Amino acid sequence: MQQILSDRILTLSESETLAMSKKSRALAVQGINVINLSIGQPDFFTPDYIKEAAKTAIDNNFSSYSPVAGFADLREAICLKIKRDNNLEIKPSQVVVSTGAKQSLTNAIMALVNPGDEVIIPSPYWVSYKEMIKIAEGKGVFIETTIESRFKITPEQLEAAITPKTKLFLFSSPSNPTGTIYSKEELRALADVFARHKGIYIISDEIYELINFTGKHESIAQFEDIRDRVIIINGMSKGFAMTGWRLGYMVASELIAGACEKLQGQITSGTCSITQKASVPGLLADPTKSEDLKKMNAAFLRRRDLLYKLLSDVPGFKTYVPDGAFYLFPDVSGLFGKSYNGFTITSAATLCDYIIDTIYVALVAGEGFGNPNCVRFSYATSEEELVEAVKRIKELLAKFN
Ligand code: PMP
Ligand code: GLU
């Protein structure tokens, strides 16, 4: 029989975060009281000054195609942001604005990876990295980490993973799904390895830059000896509560930025003109003075502490205190083998399926993030919901032997 769909699509997995979120929405539509801790998005509103800028852009008829890489004023604003927050001098020709960081990541990977090229990714990783590499026909090489090492890789592990085929290193700090943040010293130690391997490019996904409980954001791009090989990925989704507006951007060498502009010009063109205009004042505002951000981060910090405390009290959960983003990724392997009512927990995935089907709490299983012992909680939701979710989980698990 003729195969209709391409091999590319048939081997691609559905995004686990989006699949769980879809399931959760479908249950909610049936009137079920679902607690959705699966999707990672701030439950805050976009700041008013950004909404006003969007309304002004509509009234001023910004309704045409923008330049593929983004309006000039937006790219200028990104250069100013990168100077102010990251202390890097860059030119607008090094910036490409896209329809979300997701597209920026895909652009960069497609621009750099040839079939068979190896891409080193610390595990756990965000679900889409692995699939983006697959689309580019690259080969993911995963460096395992554990809760004990706070899910961080060492320079020795990095060195050992490098082969003559290594093209790219891809990571996020603050991390999705663990909330781990690499310190300046830890980044310098990784940069030392890259300084010795000059053919390797580094994608630094900094989408959670503004959600950091440890102090100042540190980027691996700050190290001059490797800077021209670092591609910074960032966007408006997380720090400005703008997930639906769809704006991400990359900062790279002119060569790589130009390649991504060419690719994007054949696929999507520039992102939404209104979103671009609205993002300019957001990027120009100093985050250290933003009341919106302070309020949001104070809430995330309270929820992190609350969720940590609640989960520490659930038998079988091994937990830790994350440094940033809004995720907690506890190890639940202590529950494997336990049974109730004819059902046995054999993996994080079976546990998450059972939890959503019986007590209507949506989590994401660690398998999609490269760690089958863990489950991901997004705590970007109210404290009441977190308390209720963990109460349901604890009561359910108490029935298992
Ligand atoms: N990188 C990471 C680590 C993420 O968690 C996400 C999910 N929002 C993205 C990139 C993509 O973000 P967006 O496309 O909404 O800008
Ligand atoms: N990045 C978020 C998450 O991990 C949003 C969903 C997605 O795009 O994966 O939940």
Side-chain angles (χ1 to χ4, degrees), residues 40 99-103 105 126 129 172 176 205 207-208 235 237-238 243 246-248 327:
T99 307
K102 219 171 211 175
Q103 188 183 18
L105 283 161
W126 178 43
Y129 292 168
S172 61
N176 179 2
D205 182 347
I207 188 83
Y208 296 98
S237 285
K238 312 294 172 169
T243 49
R246 310 309 299 135
L247 192 135
Y327 305 109

Side-chain angles (χ1 to χ4, degrees), residues 33 35 310-311 313-317 335 338-341 343 345 351 354-355 358-361 363 377 386-401:
N33 174 12
I35 302 181
L310 293 168
L311 292 181
D313 214 29
V314 181
F317 274 59
L335 297 166
K338 293 194 183 291
S339 303
Y340 164 66
N341 213 9
F343 166 75
I345 304 170
L351 177 63
Y354 194 73
I355 285 177
T358 55
I359 54 166
Y360 310 121
V361 175
L363 309 172
F377 286 72
L386 293 175
V387 170
E388 172 62 20
V390 181
K391 179 170 163 275
R392 289 187 200 176
I393 291 170
K394 204 172 161 189
E395 283 172 5
L396 176 72
L397 293 177
K399 299 175 183 163
F400 281 72
N401 282 302

Side-chain angles (χ1 to χ4, degrees), residues 373-392:
N373 291 334
C374 296
V375 297
R376 192 188 77 172
F377 286 72
S378 163
Y379 55 83
T381 189
S382 70
E383 293 178 36
E384 294 71 38
E385 289 220 303
L386 293 175
V387 170
E388 172 62 20
V390 181
K391 179 170 163 275
R392 289 187 200 176

Side-chain angles (χ1 to χ4, degrees), residues 197-397:
H197 296 274
K198 303 213 182 305
I200 302 178
Y201 289 76
I202 301 115
I203 297 185
S204 176
D205 182 347
E206 303 179 16
I207 188 83
Y208 296 98
E209 168 177 19
L210 295 177
I211 306 165
N212 179 333
F213 312 128
T214 66
K216 191 175 154 296
H217 175 72
E218 300 289 349
S219 168
I220 196 163
Q222 70 188 278
F223 304 117
E224 195 136 13
D225 51 347
I226 60 159
R227 181 174 305 158
D228 58 343
R229 288 184 278 135
V230 178
I231 298 121
I232 298 177
I233 304 290
N234 210 327
M236 303 301 285
S237 285
K238 312 294 172 169
F240 296 89
M242 289 175 67
T243 49
W245 294 66
R246 310 309 299 135
L247 192 135
Y249 58 89
M250 64 137 52
V251 174
S253 66
E254 282 181 338
L255 178 75
I256 295 172
C260 292
E261 180 179 353
K262 179 165 79 169
L263 178 64
Q264 186 166 299
Q266 295 290 18
I267 299 177
T268 57
S269 302
T271 190
C272 171
S273 54
I274 306 304
T275 296
Q276 290 192 50
K277 287 289 166 189
S279 299
V280 172
L283 290 159
L284 290 178
D286 182 346
T288 63
K289 301 195 179 103
S290 162
E291 287 308 317
D292 295 297
L293 186 64
K294 269 186 212 149
K295 218 169 77 192
M296 191 166 79
N297 278 356
F300 286 146
L301 185 57
R302 274 198 311 276
R303 296 164 184 184
R304 177 201 71 174
D305 291 343
L306 173 67
L307 185 61
Y308 169 72
K309 195 165 138 270
L310 293 168
L311 292 181
S312 303
D313 214 29
V314 181
F317 274 59
K318 189 155 75 174
T319 189
Y320 64 98
V321 181
D323 301 323
F326 33 66
Y327 305 109
L328 222 155
F329 198 59
D331 185 314
V332 295
S333 58
L335 297 166
F336 296 172
K338 293 194 183 291
S339 303
Y340 164 66
N341 213 9
F343 166 75
T344 302
I345 304 170
T346 52
S347 62
T350 55
L351 177 63
C352 286
D353 285 343
Y354 194 73
I355 285 177
I356 180 116
D357 291 342
T358 55
I359 54 166
Y360 310 121
V361 175
L363 309 172
V364 188
E367 278 85 344
F369 301 97
N371 187 327
N373 291 334
C374 296
V375 297
R376 192 188 77 172
F377 286 72
S378 163
Y379 55 83
T381 189
S382 70
E383 293 178 36
E384 294 71 38
E385 289 220 303
L386 293 175
V387 170
E388 172 62 20
V390 181
K391 179 170 163 275
R392 289 187 200 176
I393 291 170
K394 204 172 161 189
E395 283 172 5
L396 176 72
L397 293 177

Side-chain angles (χ1 to χ4, degrees), residues 150-163:
R150 296 190 60 75
F151 298 112
K152 292 183 193 184
I153 63 162
T154 62
E156 292 73 27
Q157 283 178 297
L158 176 59
E159 185 78 59
I162 292 172
T163 76

